[in-house]
Amino acid sequence: MDIEEKVNFWKNEAKRALAVAEDLVRLKRYIEALFFGHLALEKLLKARIIKATKEESVYSHDLLILAKYAKLRLSGNDIDFLAKVNVYNIRARYQDYKMSLYKQADRKFTTMELSEIKRFFDKIK
């Protein structure tokens, strides 16, 4: 694949992950929806890295690291937001973290968080 094909691949994967997040909310799978929200941003950032560097993306799930490699200018609020969303990657994967997130991640919370994820997604796409 050439650079543009790789960028498009990651962008399409990012859109797909965001759609899955929305589907998971409808299924009341809130933790998983947050995980896929994180995944959508991760994949979109990887597309941005490839576009900016003309090289493969770094191997990381950390949104702040990926944003740095993508050469994004982030506000303090953006940094705080990405740090918060990073938690959804870890908490959705590991059982001990899941329990604390189960208590917080109801429909209202998840819908609000996904709305913010979509806002940031649209900002950087």
Side-chain angles (χ1 to χ4, degrees):
M1 277 195 271
D2 66 18
I3 296 299
E4 197 59 34
E5 289 172 323
K6 289 177 183 180
V7 168
N8 287 332
F9 168 80
W10 283 110
K11 283 183 176 181
N12 289 332
E13 288 295 306
K15 290 175 190 172
R16 183 176 305 195
L18 200 53
V20 170
E22 292 169 350
D23 289 342
L24 288 165
V25 169
R26 285 190 285 280
L27 294 171
K28 300 180 182 181
R29 301 299 304 248
Y30 303 124
I31 293 174
E32 294 83 357
L34 293 171
F35 174 79
F36 270 85
H38 173 279
L39 194 58
L41 291 180
E42 177 184 329
K43 290 177 177 196
L44 186 57
L45 286 167
K46 288 181 178 185
R48 293 288 308 259
I49 290 169
I50 294 168
K51 188 171 187 170
T53 65
K54 309 294 187 243
E55 296 178 7
E56 291 294 331
S57 177
V58 296
Y59 293 104
S60 178
H61 302 292
D62 187 312
L63 301 178
L64 292 167
I65 290 171
L66 295 171
K68 176 184 169 189
Y69 280 96
K71 302 177 183 177
L72 295 183
R73 287 193 202 172
L74 299 176
S75 68
N77 287 339
D78 291 338
I79 291 168
D80 292 344
F81 172 72
L82 291 178
K84 178 177 68 170
V85 176
N86 268 339
V87 172
Y88 303 144
N89 180 43
I90 295 169
R91 286 195 179 171
R93 287 181 189 247
Y94 300 105
Q95 198 62 34
D96 53 338
Y97 288 111
K98 272 187 182 182
M99 295 313 292
S100 64
L101 192 54
Y102 272 124
K103 295 174 185 173
Q104 186 177 19
D106 60 11
R107 182 176 187 81
K108 181 179 178 183
F109 176 86
T110 304
T111 301
M112 287 179 10
E113 290 300 294
L114 282 180
S115 176
E116 288 298 307
I117 288 169
K118 288 181 215 173
R119 178 199 58 78
F120 193 81
F121 188 97
D122 289 340
K123 178 180 174 177
I124 66 168
K125 69 178 177 182

mmCIF file of all heavy atoms in Angstrom, residues 70-106:
data_model
loop_
_atom_site.group_PDB
_atom_site.id
_atom_site.type_symbol
_atom_site.label_atom_id
_atom_site.label_comp_id
_atom_site.label_asym_id
_atom_site.label_seq_id
_atom_site.Cartn_x
_atom_site.Cartn_y
_atom_site.Cartn_z
ATOM 1 N N ALA A 70 1.711 12.629 15.578
ATOM 2 C CA ALA A 70 0.886 13.175 14.494
ATOM 3 C C ALA A 70 1.113 14.678 14.312
ATOM 4 O O ALA A 70 0.565 15.280 13.398
ATOM 5 C CB ALA A 70 -0.589 12.903 14.766
ATOM 6 N N LYS A 71 1.907 15.239 15.216
ATOM 7 C CA LYS A 71 2.272 16.664 15.161
ATOM 8 C C LYS A 71 1.056 17.566 15.325
ATOM 9 O O LYS A 71 0.943 18.617 14.685
ATOM 10 C CB LYS A 71 3.043 16.974 13.884
ATOM 11 C CG LYS A 71 4.313 16.150 13.751
ATOM 12 C CD LYS A 71 5.029 16.412 12.460
ATOM 13 C CE LYS A 71 6.244 15.474 12.391
ATOM 14 N NZ LYS A 71 6.970 15.587 11.139
ATOM 15 N N LEU A 72 0.135 17.134 16.186
ATOM 16 C CA LEU A 72 -1.045 17.944 16.466
ATOM 17 C C LEU A 72 -0.704 18.997 17.517
ATOM 18 O O LEU A 72 0.035 18.727 18.456
ATOM 19 C CB LEU A 72 -2.183 17.080 17.001
ATOM 20 C CG LEU A 72 -2.775 16.036 16.078
ATOM 21 C CD1 LEU A 72 -3.931 15.345 16.775
ATOM 22 C CD2 LEU A 72 -3.238 16.643 14.776
ATOM 23 N N ARG A 73 -1.265 20.170 17.333
ATOM 24 C CA ARG A 73 -1.172 21.199 18.370
ATOM 25 C C ARG A 73 -2.378 21.021 19.273
ATOM 26 O O ARG A 73 -3.516 21.157 18.821
ATOM 27 C CB ARG A 73 -1.199 22.586 17.751
ATOM 28 C CG ARG A 73 0.063 22.942 17.061
ATOM 29 C CD ARG A 73 0.039 24.417 16.775
ATOM 30 N NE ARG A 73 0.945 24.720 15.698
ATOM 31 C CZ ARG A 73 1.028 25.881 15.121
ATOM 32 N NH1 ARG A 73 0.230 26.850 15.508
ATOM 33 N NH2 ARG A 73 1.880 26.089 14.157
ATOM 34 N N LEU A 74 -2.099 20.723 20.520
ATOM 35 C CA LEU A 74 -3.182 20.458 21.458
ATOM 36 C C LEU A 74 -3.264 21.555 22.508
ATOM 37 O O LEU A 74 -2.245 22.000 23.028
ATOM 38 C CB LEU A 74 -2.959 19.118 22.159
ATOM 39 C CG LEU A 74 -2.912 17.878 21.277
ATOM 40 C CD1 LEU A 74 -2.589 16.658 22.123
ATOM 41 C CD2 LEU A 74 -4.214 17.686 20.532
ATOM 42 N N SER A 75 -4.477 21.927 22.830
ATOM 43 C CA SER A 75 -4.704 22.850 23.936
ATOM 44 C C SER A 75 -4.596 22.056 25.238
ATOM 45 O O SER A 75 -4.577 20.819 25.232
ATOM 46 C CB SER A 75 -6.100 23.470 23.824
ATOM 47 O OG SER A 75 -7.090 22.481 24.056
ATOM 48 N N GLY A 76 -4.567 22.755 26.331
ATOM 49 C CA GLY A 76 -4.573 22.088 27.633
ATOM 50 C C GLY A 76 -5.812 21.231 27.813
ATOM 51 O O GLY A 76 -5.747 20.127 28.356
ATOM 52 N N ASN A 77 -6.938 21.730 27.328
ATOM 53 C CA ASN A 77 -8.185 20.956 27.414
ATOM 54 C C ASN A 77 -8.107 19.687 26.575
ATOM 55 O O ASN A 77 -8.609 18.639 26.979
ATOM 56 C CB ASN A 77 -9.380 21.796 26.971
ATOM 57 C CG ASN A 77 -9.753 22.848 27.991
ATOM 58 O OD1 ASN A 77 -9.417 22.745 29.158
ATOM 59 N ND2 ASN A 77 -10.442 23.874 27.538
ATOM 60 N N ASP A 78 -7.485 19.793 25.390
ATOM 61 C CA ASP A 78 -7.319 18.613 24.534
ATOM 62 C C ASP A 78 -6.447 17.570 25.222
ATOM 63 O O ASP A 78 -6.747 16.376 25.176
ATOM 64 C CB ASP A 78 -6.681 18.990 23.191
ATOM 65 C CG ASP A 78 -7.591 19.809 22.297
ATOM 66 O OD1 ASP A 78 -8.819 19.763 22.475
ATOM 67 O OD2 ASP A 78 -7.044 20.510 21.416
ATOM 68 N N ILE A 79 -5.371 18.014 25.847
ATOM 69 C CA ILE A 79 -4.466 17.094 26.550
ATOM 70 C C ILE A 79 -5.208 16.389 27.679
ATOM 71 O O ILE A 79 -5.123 15.171 27.828
ATOM 72 C CB ILE A 79 -3.226 17.844 27.067
ATOM 73 C CG1 ILE A 79 -2.358 18.283 25.870
ATOM 74 C CG2 ILE A 79 -2.420 16.989 28.049
ATOM 75 C CD1 ILE A 79 -1.262 19.275 26.218
ATOM 76 N N ASP A 80 -5.958 17.163 28.456
ATOM 77 C CA ASP A 80 -6.743 16.574 29.553
ATOM 78 C C ASP A 80 -7.763 15.579 29.016
ATOM 79 O O ASP A 80 -7.971 14.502 29.594
ATOM 80 C CB ASP A 80 -7.467 17.665 30.351
ATOM 81 C CG ASP A 80 -6.519 18.544 31.138
ATOM 82 O OD1 ASP A 80 -5.335 18.163 31.338
ATOM 83 O OD2 ASP A 80 -6.957 19.639 31.550
ATOM 84 N N PHE A 81 -8.401 15.931 27.912
ATOM 85 C CA PHE A 81 -9.405 15.057 27.314
ATOM 86 C C PHE A 81 -8.785 13.738 26.865
ATOM 87 O O PHE A 81 -9.301 12.657 27.175
ATOM 88 C CB PHE A 81 -10.094 15.762 26.137
ATOM 89 C CG PHE A 81 -10.989 14.857 25.363
ATOM 90 C CD1 PHE A 81 -12.191 14.438 25.889
ATOM 91 C CD2 PHE A 81 -10.611 14.403 24.110
ATOM 92 C CE1 PHE A 81 -13.017 13.572 25.179
ATOM 93 C CE2 PHE A 81 -11.426 13.550 23.392
ATOM 94 C CZ PHE A 81 -12.635 13.138 23.926
ATOM 95 N N LEU A 82 -7.671 13.802 26.137
ATOM 96 C CA LEU A 82 -7.033 12.571 25.655
ATOM 97 C C LEU A 82 -6.540 11.715 26.815
ATOM 98 O O LEU A 82 -6.629 10.482 26.761
ATOM 99 C CB LEU A 82 -5.897 12.897 24.694
ATOM 100 C CG LEU A 82 -6.328 13.491 23.353
ATOM 101 C CD1 LEU A 82 -5.106 13.812 22.493
ATOM 102 C CD2 LEU A 82 -7.275 12.570 22.613
ATOM 103 N N ALA A 83 -6.059 12.347 27.862
ATOM 104 C CA ALA A 83 -5.629 11.588 29.048
ATOM 105 C C ALA A 83 -6.821 10.855 29.661
ATOM 106 O O ALA A 83 -6.700 9.693 30.077
ATOM 107 C CB ALA A 83 -4.983 12.521 30.065
ATOM 108 N N LYS A 84 -7.969 11.511 29.694
ATOM 109 C CA LYS A 84 -9.180 10.874 30.229
ATOM 110 C C LYS A 84 -9.600 9.698 29.359
ATOM 111 O O LYS A 84 -9.923 8.620 29.867
ATOM 112 C CB LYS A 84 -10.308 11.897 30.337
ATOM 113 C CG LYS A 84 -11.611 11.312 30.827
ATOM 114 C CD LYS A 84 -12.686 12.357 30.993
ATOM 115 C CE LYS A 84 -13.114 12.918 29.666
ATOM 116 N NZ LYS A 84 -14.318 13.771 29.746
ATOM 117 N N VAL A 85 -9.596 9.882 28.048
ATOM 118 C CA VAL A 85 -10.016 8.818 27.138
ATOM 119 C C VAL A 85 -9.035 7.650 27.179
ATOM 120 O O VAL A 85 -9.441 6.495 27.012
ATOM 121 C CB VAL A 85 -10.222 9.360 25.703
ATOM 122 C CG1 VAL A 85 -10.561 8.237 24.732
ATOM 123 C CG2 VAL A 85 -11.329 10.409 25.692
ATOM 124 N N ASN A 86 -7.763 7.916 27.433
ATOM 125 C CA ASN A 86 -6.782 6.833 27.579
ATOM 126 C C ASN A 86 -7.212 5.821 28.636
ATOM 127 O O ASN A 86 -6.958 4.630 28.500
ATOM 128 C CB ASN A 86 -5.402 7.380 27.951
ATOM 129 C CG ASN A 86 -4.537 7.666 26.760
ATOM 130 O OD1 ASN A 86 -4.745 7.130 25.672
ATOM 131 N ND2 ASN A 86 -3.552 8.522 26.960
ATOM 132 N N VAL A 87 -7.862 6.298 29.658
ATOM 133 C CA VAL A 87 -8.318 5.410 30.735
ATOM 134 C C VAL A 87 -9.292 4.366 30.215
ATOM 135 O O VAL A 87 -9.306 3.231 30.689
ATOM 136 C CB VAL A 87 -8.950 6.247 31.878
ATOM 137 C CG1 VAL A 87 -9.605 5.356 32.916
ATOM 138 C CG2 VAL A 87 -7.892 7.136 32.515
ATOM 139 N N TYR A 88 -10.077 4.709 29.221
ATOM 140 C CA TYR A 88 -11.056 3.762 28.696
ATOM 141 C C TYR A 88 -10.394 2.590 27.986
ATOM 142 O O TYR A 88 -10.968 1.507 27.919
ATOM 143 C CB TYR A 88 -12.055 4.450 27.769
ATOM 144 C CG TYR A 88 -12.780 5.587 28.433
ATOM 145 C CD1 TYR A 88 -13.115 6.732 27.740
ATOM 146 C CD2 TYR A 88 -13.108 5.523 29.790
ATOM 147 C CE1 TYR A 88 -13.775 7.775 28.356
ATOM 148 C CE2 TYR A 88 -13.757 6.560 30.414
ATOM 149 C CZ TYR A 88 -14.086 7.684 29.698
ATOM 150 O OH TYR A 88 -14.730 8.723 30.313
ATOM 151 N N ASN A 89 -9.223 2.783 27.492
ATOM 152 C CA ASN A 89 -8.472 1.688 26.888
ATOM 153 C C ASN A 89 -8.041 0.694 27.963
ATOM 154 O O ASN A 89 -8.210 -0.506 27.809
ATOM 155 C CB ASN A 89 -7.251 2.224 26.142
ATOM 156 C CG ASN A 89 -6.441 1.125 25.504
ATOM 157 O OD1 ASN A 89 -6.988 0.200 24.916
ATOM 158 N ND2 ASN A 89 -5.142 1.209 25.624
ATOM 159 N N ILE A 90 -7.524 1.186 29.053
ATOM 160 C CA ILE A 90 -7.030 0.311 30.121
ATOM 161 C C ILE A 90 -8.187 -0.296 30.904
ATOM 162 O O ILE A 90 -8.241 -1.496 31.127
ATOM 163 C CB ILE A 90 -6.104 1.100 31.059
ATOM 164 C CG1 ILE A 90 -4.853 1.527 30.294
ATOM 165 C CG2 ILE A 90 -5.730 0.269 32.280
ATOM 166 C CD1 ILE A 90 -3.996 2.528 31.016
ATOM 167 N N ARG A 91 -9.112 0.534 31.314
ATOM 168 C CA ARG A 91 -10.201 0.043 32.165
ATOM 169 C C ARG A 91 -11.101 -0.953 31.462
ATOM 170 O O ARG A 91 -11.690 -1.809 32.090
ATOM 171 C CB ARG A 91 -11.034 1.208 32.700
ATOM 172 C CG ARG A 91 -10.310 1.961 33.773
ATOM 173 C CD ARG A 91 -11.245 2.845 34.515
ATOM 174 N NE ARG A 91 -10.521 3.546 35.555
ATOM 175 C CZ ARG A 91 -11.033 4.526 36.258
ATOM 176 N NH1 ARG A 91 -12.260 4.935 36.038
ATOM 177 N NH2 ARG A 91 -10.330 5.109 37.183
ATOM 178 N N ALA A 92 -11.224 -0.827 30.160
ATOM 179 C CA ALA A 92 -12.086 -1.756 29.432
ATOM 180 C C ALA A 92 -11.393 -3.093 29.196
ATOM 181 O O ALA A 92 -12.046 -4.075 28.893
ATOM 182 C CB ALA A 92 -12.514 -1.147 28.103
ATOM 183 N N ARG A 93 -10.087 -3.142 29.347
ATOM 184 C CA ARG A 93 -9.342 -4.367 29.083
ATOM 185 C C ARG A 93 -9.128 -5.228 30.323
ATOM 186 O O ARG A 93 -9.033 -6.434 30.219
ATOM 187 C CB ARG A 93 -7.962 -4.028 28.508
ATOM 188 C CG ARG A 93 -7.999 -3.546 27.096
ATOM 189 C CD ARG A 93 -6.579 -3.263 26.637
ATOM 190 N NE ARG A 93 -6.572 -2.611 25.356
ATOM 191 C CZ ARG A 93 -6.108 -3.174 24.249
ATOM 192 N NH1 ARG A 93 -5.619 -4.370 24.274
ATOM 193 N NH2 ARG A 93 -6.135 -2.514 23.122
ATOM 194 N N TYR A 94 -8.970 -4.605 31.469
ATOM 195 C CA TYR A 94 -8.554 -5.337 32.657
ATOM 196 C C TYR A 94 -9.671 -5.404 33.683
ATOM 197 O O TYR A 94 -10.270 -4.395 34.034
ATOM 198 C CB TYR A 94 -7.299 -4.696 33.255
ATOM 199 C CG TYR A 94 -6.159 -4.704 32.266
ATOM 200 C CD1 TYR A 94 -5.768 -3.552 31.597
ATOM 201 C CD2 TYR A 94 -5.504 -5.894 31.960
ATOM 202 C CE1 TYR A 94 -4.749 -3.573 30.670
ATOM 203 C CE2 TYR A 94 -4.485 -5.926 31.026
ATOM 204 C CZ TYR A 94 -4.112 -4.764 30.387
ATOM 205 O OH TYR A 94 -3.100 -4.795 29.464
ATOM 206 N N GLN A 95 -9.936 -6.600 34.154
ATOM 207 C CA GLN A 95 -11.086 -6.874 35.008
ATOM 208 C C GLN A 95 -11.144 -5.994 36.251
ATOM 209 O O GLN A 95 -12.206 -5.501 36.603
ATOM 210 C CB GLN A 95 -11.082 -8.356 35.406
ATOM 211 C CG GLN A 95 -12.410 -8.841 35.900
ATOM 212 C CD GLN A 95 -13.505 -8.740 34.845
ATOM 213 O OE1 GLN A 95 -13.269 -8.910 33.669
ATOM 214 N NE2 GLN A 95 -14.697 -8.425 35.273
ATOM 215 N N ASP A 96 -10.017 -5.790 36.924
ATOM 216 C CA ASP A 96 -10.065 -5.010 38.153
ATOM 217 C C ASP A 96 -10.445 -3.549 37.885
ATOM 218 O O ASP A 96 -11.149 -2.929 38.668
ATOM 219 C CB ASP A 96 -8.748 -5.098 38.930
ATOM 220 C CG ASP A 96 -7.534 -4.753 38.096
ATOM 221 O OD1 ASP A 96 -7.599 -4.842 36.864
ATOM 222 O OD2 ASP A 96 -6.506 -4.400 38.698
ATOM 223 N N TYR A 97 -10.018 -3.011 36.760
ATOM 224 C CA TYR A 97 -10.410 -1.659 36.401
ATOM 225 C C TYR A 97 -11.863 -1.603 35.937
ATOM 226 O O TYR A 97 -12.546 -0.610 36.132
ATOM 227 C CB TYR A 97 -9.530 -1.109 35.280
ATOM 228 C CG TYR A 97 -8.137 -0.771 35.712
ATOM 229 C CD1 TYR A 97 -7.058 -1.527 35.257
ATOM 230 C CD2 TYR A 97 -7.880 0.308 36.540
ATOM 231 C CE1 TYR A 97 -5.761 -1.215 35.640
ATOM 232 C CE2 TYR A 97 -6.594 0.625 36.919
ATOM 233 C CZ TYR A 97 -5.537 -0.138 36.463
ATOM 234 O OH TYR A 97 -4.266 0.171 36.831
ATOM 235 N N LYS A 98 -12.322 -2.678 35.309
ATOM 236 C CA LYS A 98 -13.691 -2.704 34.786
ATOM 237 C C LYS A 98 -14.712 -2.469 35.890
ATOM 238 O O LYS A 98 -15.704 -1.777 35.682
ATOM 239 C CB LYS A 98 -13.995 -4.052 34.120
ATOM 240 C CG LYS A 98 -13.622 -4.132 32.681
ATOM 241 C CD LYS A 98 -14.141 -5.447 32.124
ATOM 242 C CE LYS A 98 -13.761 -5.608 30.684
ATOM 243 N NZ LYS A 98 -14.296 -6.835 30.124
ATOM 244 N N MET A 99 -14.465 -3.036 37.041
ATOM 245 C CA MET A 99 -15.446 -2.933 38.120
ATOM 246 C C MET A 99 -15.690 -1.479 38.505
ATOM 247 O O MET A 99 -16.831 -1.078 38.721
ATOM 248 C CB MET A 99 -14.999 -3.754 39.329
ATOM 249 C CG MET A 99 -14.943 -5.255 39.054
ATOM 250 S SD MET A 99 -16.405 -5.923 38.208
ATOM 251 C CE MET A 99 -17.624 -5.735 39.464
ATOM 252 N N SER A 100 -14.631 -0.676 38.590
ATOM 253 C CA SER A 100 -14.826 0.726 38.951
ATOM 254 C C SER A 100 -15.516 1.494 37.826
ATOM 255 O O SER A 100 -16.313 2.395 38.084
ATOM 256 C CB SER A 100 -13.492 1.383 39.318
ATOM 257 O OG SER A 100 -12.629 1.408 38.215
ATOM 258 N N LEU A 101 -15.241 1.126 36.603
ATOM 259 C CA LEU A 101 -15.871 1.808 35.482
ATOM 260 C C LEU A 101 -17.339 1.410 35.336
ATOM 261 O O LEU A 101 -18.171 2.232 34.943
ATOM 262 C CB LEU A 101 -15.102 1.523 34.185
ATOM 263 C CG LEU A 101 -15.461 2.368 32.974
ATOM 264 C CD1 LEU A 101 -15.376 3.865 33.275
ATOM 265 C CD2 LEU A 101 -14.570 2.018 31.803
ATOM 266 N N TYR A 102 -17.679 0.167 35.687
ATOM 267 C CA TYR A 102 -19.085 -0.260 35.623
ATOM 268 C C TYR A 102 -19.983 0.648 36.444
ATOM 269 O O TYR A 102 -21.105 0.952 36.059
ATOM 270 C CB TYR A 102 -19.245 -1.698 36.142
ATOM 271 C CG TYR A 102 -19.072 -2.760 35.104
ATOM 272 C CD1 TYR A 102 -18.125 -3.760 35.281
ATOM 273 C CD2 TYR A 102 -19.839 -2.786 33.948
ATOM 274 C CE1 TYR A 102 -17.950 -4.761 34.339
ATOM 275 C CE2 TYR A 102 -19.672 -3.778 33.000
ATOM 276 C CZ TYR A 102 -18.730 -4.758 33.203
ATOM 277 O OH TYR A 102 -18.554 -5.733 32.258
ATOM 278 N N LYS A 103 -19.472 1.098 37.575
ATOM 279 C CA LYS A 103 -20.265 1.949 38.463
ATOM 280 C C LYS A 103 -20.510 3.330 37.851
ATOM 281 O O LYS A 103 -21.511 3.961 38.154
ATOM 282 C CB LYS A 103 -19.563 2.092 39.807
ATOM 283 C CG LYS A 103 -19.476 0.788 40.557
ATOM 284 C CD LYS A 103 -18.660 0.929 41.816
ATOM 285 C CE LYS A 103 -18.494 -0.429 42.482
ATOM 286 N NZ LYS A 103 -17.590 -0.387 43.607
ATOM 287 N N GLN A 104 -19.598 3.776 37.018
ATOM 288 C CA GLN A 104 -19.688 5.114 36.447
ATOM 289 C C GLN A 104 -20.337 5.125 35.070
ATOM 290 O O GLN A 104 -21.049 6.069 34.719
ATOM 291 C CB GLN A 104 -18.271 5.685 36.351
ATOM 292 C CG GLN A 104 -18.195 7.115 35.923
ATOM 293 C CD GLN A 104 -16.767 7.619 35.915
ATOM 294 O OE1 GLN A 104 -15.824 6.847 35.893
ATOM 295 N NE2 GLN A 104 -16.609 8.919 35.923
ATOM 296 N N ALA A 105 -20.100 4.110 34.285
ATOM 297 C CA ALA A 105 -20.461 4.122 32.862
ATOM 298 C C ALA A 105 -21.899 3.673 32.637
ATOM 299 O O ALA A 105 -22.157 2.571 32.187
ATOM 300 C CB ALA A 105 -19.491 3.248 32.064
ATOM 301 N N ASP A 106 -22.825 4.571 32.915
ATOM 302 C CA ASP A 106 -24.213 4.303 32.569
ATOM 303 C C ASP A 106 -24.499 4.933 31.192
ATOM 304 O O ASP A 106 -23.592 5.482 30.555
ATOM 305 C CB ASP A 106 -25.169 4.827 33.642
ATOM 306 C CG ASP A 106 -25.061 6.330 33.870
ATOM 307 O OD1 ASP A 106 -24.399 7.033 33.068
ATOM 308 O OD2 ASP A 106 -25.638 6.810 34.856
#
